[in-house]
Amino acid sequence: MMKRLSILSTIVCLAILALSGSAWAQGAVSLPKTGQTISYAAGDDGDLEMGVAWPDTRFTDKVDGTVKDNLTGLVWSKNANLPNGALTWQATLDYVAGMNAGTHPNFGYTDWRLP
């Protein structure tokens, strides 16, 4: 009985891995190149040099108080101190929620989050 259960659990685990592997393959992510060109071991970054090339212009000033990172697609506030002072963790979460709700400056975006 114990051997049969072990084989059954192995089959179930392999089936789950196979199904999840196909789901992961569908959601491919394009990571940027690391810039590593010297290889210290087969299969490392210097050996494979895989990834997406960095854009010629990394950042674009959107002239609305934000900057777009052309490598990641993320938009950042040019002012790193929007609330004009230190905040507690909860006050920071509340401030970001206020940006998304429009009660604090949000530059036309409603999907702000903490880095």
Side-chain angles (χ1 to χ4, degrees):
M1 178 70 166
M2 187 66 118
K3 190 172 191 178
R4 184 179 296 162
L5 185 59
S6 177
I7 292 171
L8 180 62
S9 62
T10 302
I11 291 171
V12 169
C13 286
L14 290 174
I16 290 170
L17 287 173
L19 291 173
S20 64
S22 64
W24 282 86
Q26 292 172 2
V29 176
S30 298
L31 295 174
K33 289 182 178 265
T34 64
Q36 179 70 35
T37 56
I38 298 171
S39 177
Y40 297 97
D44 69 5
D45 283 352
D47 178 32
L48 301 177
E49 295 188 37
M50 297 181 74
V52 179
W54 286 40
D56 288 335
T57 305
R58 173 72 191 264
F59 298 99
T60 301
D61 186 344
K62 296 182 55 92
V63 209
D64 64 354
T66 64
V67 176
K68 180 179 180 185
D69 182 336
N70 296 315
L71 180 63
T72 65
L74 294 173
V75 175
W76 300 87
S77 164
K78 287 174 69 173
N79 179 357
N81 188 19
L82 284 175
N84 293 318
L87 299 176
T88 65
W89 182 251
Q90 187 57 56
T92 303
L93 293 173
D94 294 342
Y95 190 88
V96 172
M99 289 177 72
N100 290 327
T103 56
H104 296 299
N106 65 10
F107 310 98
Y109 297 95
T110 57
D111 59 350
W112 291 98
R113 60 184 189 264
L114 295 176

